[in-house]
Structures are given as C-alpha cells and as structure tokens.
Amino acid sequence: MSQTSALLVIDMQNSTVAIAHRAAETVSVIAGLRERALAAGVPVVTVQDQGGEGMEPGSDGWQVVAELAPAGDGLVVRKTSPDSFLGTGLDAILKALGATEVVVTGFATEMCVDTTARQALSHGYDVVLVANGHTTSVRPESESESEFGAYAPADRSIAHHNEIFRNIRFPGRRVRVLPAAEVEFSPAL
C-alpha cells in the first residue's frame, strides 16, 4: 500500500533549540528534510509550543528558528501540551491533506516527539521517526550535578527512543526509524 507523507517539525523554537543537544546538527538535518519534502510536494506541518516560561506567543523564544520557519502560507499547529494532537487541529489538517504517514522530527525526544509519535499511531497514521532528526536538552553526565535528576544523558535518551520505536508493534500500523538520508517522501496523488 502506498503512503502519503507529511513532515512534522515539532517545537524547533528559539527557546528549545538554545538548550538542545546537537542543536546545529539537528536543525541542519530537519532543514534538509524540509527542503526535500517541499521539493517532492509533501506538506510540512510546523508544531509550535505556546506554553511555559520563555514560550509565550509572540516572544523571541516562541519563534521557530529561522532555518525552519514556515513560509507565509505554511501549515502551523499551536499546542499547549506534549501531545501535538491534543486540543489542536493537527488530525484534521493531516486528514485534509490525505496523509497516511507522518515523518516525525523535533524537540524533545522523550516528551513531545515521543508523545506525538505515539498519538499519531493512535490516530491511524503510520510513523517514521527520523533517527537523527530529533533531540533533547543538554544534560550533564553526572546525575549529582544535574537539575534533571534521573534523566538519561542526551545521546542515550535519543538512542533509547530510537530503539523503542524500532520495536513498537501497533496493530495495523507501520513504524520505522530511519536516518534522514533514507527517508523517502510520498506526496499525495
């Protein structure tokens, strides 16, 4: 069965990218995917968090980083929770686009990326998690010097979630974890 893809760019905003592990590399990977998606006629949906300190709508921290900012007519979904579907129009947008598969990228691996990818499955979409297209916050290696408590170091958290998604089984859904170079976009017919 052929897929109709949509690329999700989750929470790649000035405030989050400022604290992101591998920030420049992740932005570059997502920018490359975005360019390829648009060239293939695949829609890009930018998900923008508008909750919490430093993420107030209109503030500099709330703005999507320049390299990933949607064009004037770009699709933008604003959310207030880690779930990009909860209380937003994301599902309706994807259905209107005829999307059957979401290609998931963004920040933060273990919160918004994970939650949105799992909810995409529950909403009937196949999922491609871009292995090198999501990231989390920078963290000290030592738990004792960290405000993050028992969170795993960033590289391990990213690897852990990639492995989880490689092994998730969801009835009637296809889940893949691919490096950006192996993502093939399928536009609507």
Side-chain angles (χ1 to χ4, degrees):
M1 182 175 139
S2 68
Q3 295 292 324
T4 301
S5 303
L7 175 63
L8 299 183
V9 178
I10 302 169
D11 298 350
M12 293 301 289
Q13 296 162 252
N14 289 329
S15 285
T16 57
V17 172
I19 62 167
H21 173 68
R22 298 182 300 116
E25 295 91 335
T26 306
V27 169
S28 177
V29 164
I30 297 170
L33 279 169
R34 182 175 176 265
E35 186 176 307
R36 287 177 36 220
L38 293 171
V42 170
V44 177
V45 181
T46 302
V47 179
Q48 192 174 23
D49 192 348
Q50 59 183 17
E53 188 175 329
M55 300 293 275
E56 296 84 8
S59 69
D60 183 60
W62 175 78
Q63 300 297 327
V64 175
V65 295
E67 301 90 335
L68 300 173
D73 61 348
L75 298 167
V76 179
V77 170
R78 297 203 167 95
K79 68 179 182 69
T80 57
S81 80
D83 178 355
S84 298
F85 288 90
L86 182 64
T88 73
L90 180 57
D91 191 43
I93 288 169
L94 293 171
K95 282 185 174 40
L97 293 169
T100 58
E101 172 184 79
V102 292
V103 178
V104 180
T105 67
F107 182 93
T109 296
E110 62 281 287
M111 293 187 186
C112 301
V113 170
D114 178 84
T115 303
T116 298
R118 290 174 192 258
Q119 287 302 313
L121 293 167
S122 291
H123 281 82
Y125 301 97
D126 291 338
V127 169
V128 174
L129 178 63
V130 181
N132 57 339
H134 63 96
T135 192
T136 192
S137 55
V138 173
R139 303 170 184 159
E141 286 294 318
S142 169
E143 214 177 280
S144 63
E145 49 183 282
S146 171
E147 67 184 80
F148 296 100
Y151 277 113
D155 280 331
R156 281 197 290 173
S157 182
I158 293 164
H160 173 82
H161 279 77
N162 285 341
E163 194 60 28
I164 286 172
F165 276 86
R166 279 186 189 97
N167 290 289
I168 281 181
R169 301 296 172 256
F170 204 97
R173 304 287 168 265
R174 183 175 181 203
V175 181
R176 297 178 292 151
V177 179
L178 300 173
E182 293 180 20
V183 173
E184 294 182 19
F185 289 108
S186 305
L189 301 175

